Amino acid sequence: MFPSLTSFSQTHQAPATIRETTTLVTVPSSSPNNPAAKPPESNPELSLGTYGTAVKQLQKQLKQNGYFTGPIDGIYDQTTELAVYNFQISMGLLADGVVGQETLKSLNNSSLLTAWTPVSTPLNSSSNLPPDIQGILDRGILVVAVLGTDNPPFFSENSQGKLTGLDIDLGQAIATELGVKVKFDRSAKVFNEVVDLVYQHKADIGISKLSISMARAKKVLFSSPYVSMRQGLLVNRLELAKKAQNKRPEEVIQNLDGKLGVIKGTQYALFFAKTRFPQAQVVEFETWDDVVEAVKKGEVLAAYRDELEVKKIVLAQPDSALDIQTVALTDTKDALAMVIPWDYDHFLAFVNTYLDLNNLNYTVEQLINKYPDIFKQES
């Protein structure tokens, strides 16, 4: 038995749900280890990335006085840094999250330790917020990384040169919630360069139709999904018939061993195609238009992308049904999420709270209804 395949070109409706056959994996929301971790030097200064006995003792002292809630593991991570930051504020010290001589002196002064009443960081004070949030507020600008090539309805320039789309709206909304301005960095030429800008702290967040993947999760944090959809294929009808012969079309697609077109630099090229169709010959193209044209000409058997882009072809070019068949892979998942620097834990929580409070997790049908002009038939 093969997973059900739904033809968009026949129904123009979202495919019916079937029993999933793939194993879904959970993408970790944070990385417990700091890849740049370094042992403490003989100088008793401790900071983000150090580890060892001195850090373990620091964590014990902070926990005893109500500042640290994490595990006593000897790793100076973001949680430890925030605890030090709050401790320094309480003691009137320079609040930089680094344990130097003055901070050590205060920690080791037992009379002071018993005299304090530990206080939590007041959220309404612009000077006492977690470092990741405070850094954005101090700058006054939220830097959002977005792919340089337009991809409506997510991001594109209108006739007046203004950026519009779902991802642009989300970036602006998060900046508004923070009370800062927004700057969109569109220097990335491929999707993974958006991820790299965030990983390198050249952007505070990436909102750019980015698929969740384990490879990307090694470098950045993912928000909760804000779009959930499936994967799809555009298949050349004639080439499929040649391949099928005495086989069912579903069997040919399930064990596809012909040429499969994908966009260069996407997760479909780097990961999904090799995993889903290991026998196929993956052919990379610069643009989606190039991939679709190759399918129509029979240069590749099928094009592989998310169901939204597949459905967009059907709705905008109904005559294309003469040359291509549109298929939804109903046992697959392609969730889109925002990417955030690996050490921005509180900002990640802030973004997820925004998504949750506004109940934002679009389906393909909801996007089509929200942006009807994008999917209307071409004249």
Side-chain angles (χ1 to χ4, degrees):
M1 294 295 292
F2 298 97
S4 298
L5 304 169
T6 302
S7 172
F8 281 137
S9 52
Q10 292 176 352
T11 65
H12 289 197
Q13 299 295 323
T17 302
I18 67 164
R19 180 177 63 85
E20 294 189 350
T21 59
T22 57
T23 300
L24 300 182
V25 294
T26 301
V27 179
S29 61
S30 63
S31 175
N33 299 316
N34 178 9
K38 52 187 181 299
E41 303 171 0
S42 57
N43 186 324
E45 181 176 282
L46 305 175
S47 61
L48 186 68
T50 56
Y51 64 90
T53 303
V55 177
K56 186 175 291 188
Q57 180 61 31
L58 167 67
Q59 291 170 330
K60 288 180 180 178
Q61 289 177 295
L62 291 169
K63 176 163 284 193
Q64 288 171 358
N65 291 278
Y67 288 92
F68 183 67
T69 59
I72 307 299
D73 56 9
I75 300 173
Y76 202 118
D77 55 10
Q78 184 78 12
T79 303
T80 306
E81 183 185 52
L82 182 58
V84 171
Y85 181 84
N86 288 336
F87 168 77
Q88 290 169 327
I89 291 173
S90 298
M91 293 302 299
L93 302 171
L94 173 65
D96 57 4
V98 176
V99 180
Q101 292 291 347
E102 290 300 316
T103 302
L104 279 174
K105 182 179 178 181
S106 295
L107 277 169
N108 294 325
N109 190 323
S110 59
S111 61
L112 285 177
L113 288 172
T114 56
W116 301 331
T117 300
V119 294
S120 60
T121 305
L123 295 180
N124 60 351
S125 172
S126 62
S127 61
N128 291 337
L129 293 173
D132 50 356
I133 297 287
Q134 189 61 52
I136 298 172
L137 297 183
D138 290 344
R139 191 191 317 125
I141 297 175
L142 178 72
V143 181
V144 181
V146 181
L147 186 69
T149 305
D150 287 356
N151 195 325
F154 296 95
F155 44 89
S156 60
E157 286 190 11
N158 61 19
S159 56
Q160 290 78 41
K162 180 181 177 181
L163 277 174
T164 62
L166 176 62
D167 290 357
I168 304 304
D169 293 342
L170 288 173
Q172 181 62 67
I174 292 171
T176 299
E177 292 290 345
L178 288 168
V180 298
K181 297 179 180 179
V182 64
K183 175 185 177 182
F184 294 101
D185 182 341
R186 302 199 69 194
S187 60
K189 295 181 175 60
V190 296
F191 288 100
N192 274 349
E193 288 183 7
V194 175
V195 177
D196 288 337
L197 286 173
V198 175
Y199 171 69
Q200 296 165 7
H201 290 86
K202 295 180 180 179
D204 300 305
I205 188 170
I207 315 178
S208 190
K209 199 193 176 189
L210 294 168
S211 299
I212 294 176
S213 75
M214 293 302 296
R216 289 171 174 171
K218 294 176 182 177
K219 303 175 72 174
V220 294
L221 303 176
F222 281 107
S223 73
S224 300
Y226 65 94
V227 176
S228 293
M229 52 188 173
R230 291 162 291 193
Q231 300 169 8
L233 292 172
L234 293 174
V235 184
N236 182 287
R237 289 182 177 276
L238 180 59
E239 295 300 317
L240 178 62
K242 292 179 181 178
K243 279 277 186 182
Q245 295 181 354
N246 297 325
K247 300 178 182 178
R248 295 171 56 200
E250 292 90 342
E251 184 178 354
V252 175
I253 292 172
Q254 178 70 17
N255 300 289
L256 194 147
D257 60 358
K259 292 183 177 180
L260 182 65
V262 294
I263 304 174
K264 182 179 180 180
T266 64
Q267 288 301 291
Y268 283 84
L270 300 172
F271 178 73
F272 293 151
K274 298 173 185 177
T275 303
R276 175 75 190 198
F277 302 108
Q279 301 179 68
Q281 179 184 345
V282 179
V283 182
E284 298 184 5
F285 294 84
E286 291 295 330
T287 69
W288 178 236
D289 288 341
D290 293 339
V291 182
V292 174
E293 190 62 25
V295 175
K296 291 180 178 179
K297 292 180 178 179
E299 296 173 354
V300 296
L301 172 60
Y304 190 27
R305 205 177 179 187
D306 62 79
E307 67 168 316
L308 181 65
E309 295 299 331
V310 165
K311 197 161 191 178
K312 189 189 297 183
I313 298 297
V314 174
L315 296 176
Q317 305 174 28
D319 290 343
S320 65
L322 298 173
D323 303 310
I324 57 178
Q325 178 179 346
T326 313
V327 174
L329 304 174
T330 55
D331 63 336
T332 60
K333 180 180 181 180
D334 188 0
L336 305 185
M338 307 176 198
V339 296
I340 292 167
W342 58 270
D343 54 347
Y344 276 32
D345 294 327
H346 195 86
F347 183 47
L348 172 65
F350 181 88
V351 170
N352 283 338
T353 299
Y354 172 80
L355 293 174
D356 183 57
L357 290 177
N358 291 278
N359 196 29
L360 295 180
N361 191 358
Y362 290 94
T363 65
V364 168
E365 292 299 331
Q366 288 172 334
L367 286 178
I368 292 173
N369 292 332
K370 184 176 177 66
Y371 301 98
D373 291 344
I374 301 298
F375 301 93
K376 67 183 180 181
Q377 182 175 340
E378 295 178 352
S379 57

